[in-house]
Amino acid sequence: MILTVTLNTALDITYRVRDLRPHASHRVSEVTERPGGKGLNVARVLAALGHEVTVTGFAGGATGRVVQEQLTTAPGVVDALVPVTGATRRTIAVVDEQSGDTTQLNEPGPTVAPGEWAAFREAYEDLLPSMAAVALCGSLPPGVPVGAYAGLVRTARAAGVPVLLDTSGEALRRGVAARPDIIKPNADELAELTGSHEPLRATQDARRRGARAVVTSLGAEGLLAASPEGRWRATPPSRVHGNPTGAGDSAVAGLLSGLVEQLPWPDRLARAVALSAATVLAPVAGEFDPAAYEELRGRVAVTGEVTAA
């Protein structure tokens, strides 16, 4: 069983319009909604890969009830969300069908009271002993301490559970110091953490700050990884066009499943890049195209070197 943590759970709503123009009214051609937030997106991909997943975080209000109702029909996903008084946020993605571009609107999330945070910490500790790995994903809702992820990383390490951290800003800076097994920032998040805009140098610096392994997303150009076992670059066979929403979460699922399955790093990275590209190609934001994934996985180019570091 794998655990994903989404402290700022969401209901993801996607609108499709023919041509998105500022200051204009638009007729929506299609509406879809599904449980969201980075950790829930990761869980959905993990389940599609055949892994059993438990999701935890917060859910509250009418939106939270919709999220939990929809999770009951998600195969392979167990709901362990913790109730809060405030309402779960919504995220709105507006897809322009002509250009393929997506405009994203993200609400801030509910304010979490100290007692609610304490209840979550207790639930998290209870879940860890039965988990093979844990992913800590996304932004922090109001009321949650900025050092929250650092504490959750330490708790997982104390329980002997490998932990992947995917967040940004001060939450990432503090979380790295707690020594997670993997962090997965994008290039901008990594530059903010380290002060370096040269990705290879920045990944090495992030390891010195505490992360055992660093996997940096380079957008359409793939992933760069530095670990104790070596350094690698994984590149998709060609640039793909579509909706990038959820592509980074699919990459996290690829890395985490590869960790649990004890795959060599090049295989983990090839899986992560193929899943990410297949997510961009999928017609629904945040899903991945299984046929595209299978076709792309064998064509991802992975180069690098094994080290004894």
Side-chain angles (χ1 to χ4, degrees), residues 2 14 30 35 46 54 61 74 96-97 100 111 120 149 174 178 182 187 234 247 277-278 297:
I2 298 174
T14 301
E30 182 182 354
L46 285 169
T54 294
D96 183 321
E97 293 178 335
T111 298
F120 169 79
Y149 282 135
R174 297 199 187 194
I182 304 173
R297 186 173 55 173

Side-chain angles (χ1 to χ4, degrees), residues 46-293:
L46 285 169
L49 292 172
H51 289 274
E52 293 184 340
V53 192
T54 294
V55 296
T56 191
F58 296 111
T63 307
R65 288 193 293 275
V66 172
V67 167
Q68 292 191 283
E69 287 169 4
Q70 294 195 7
L71 284 175
T72 62
T73 63
V77 177
V78 177
D79 173 11
L81 295 170
V82 175
V84 289
T85 302
T88 295
R89 68 189 177 124
R90 297 161 297 178
T91 68
I92 311 297
V94 184
V95 180
D96 183 321
E97 293 178 335
Q98 282 198 346
S99 68
D101 292 337
T102 301
T103 300
Q104 192 82 18
L105 303 173
N106 297 328
E107 296 180 355
T111 298
V112 177
E116 293 168 336
W117 174 239
F120 169 79
R121 287 293 303 264
E122 182 177 349
Y124 175 74
E125 291 181 19
D126 289 343
L127 287 166
L128 282 174
S130 59
M131 297 299 158
V134 58
L136 307 174
C137 303
S139 60
L140 301 176
V144 172
V146 70
Y149 282 135
L152 298 181
V153 169
R154 293 188 187 100
T155 301
R157 286 178 56 82
V161 180
V163 57
L164 183 153
L165 176 62
D166 183 15
T167 188
S168 60
E170 184 66 11
L172 175 59
R173 188 184 71 80
R174 297 199 187 194
V176 166
R179 307 185 67 81
D181 293 271
I182 304 173
I183 62 170
K184 198 216 72 67
N186 62 34
D188 290 339
E189 292 163 349
L190 186 63
E192 182 182 3
L193 172 67
T194 64
S196 174
H197 290 271
E198 200 292 303
L200 181 57
R201 180 181 302 168
T203 56
Q204 294 167 334
D205 182 70
R207 287 197 63 215
R208 286 191 291 269
R209 290 169 184 258
R212 178 174 171 80
V214 180
V215 181
T216 306
S217 172
L218 304 176
E221 297 183 7
L223 297 173
L224 178 68
S227 79
E229 293 81 20
R231 295 185 293 270
W232 295 273
R233 174 79 176 268
T235 309
S238 61
R239 182 179 292 267
V240 296
H241 299 278
N243 185 352
T245 303
D249 303 329
S250 291
V252 168
L255 295 171
L256 200 61
S257 61
L259 170 67
V260 170
E261 295 170 28
Q262 299 182 330
L263 297 181
W265 269 102
D267 292 343
R268 299 185 203 181
L269 296 170
R271 176 182 288 183
V273 168
L275 281 169
S276 182
T279 299
V280 174
L281 292 170
V284 177
E287 305 289 344
F288 75 91
D289 184 322
Y293 165 62

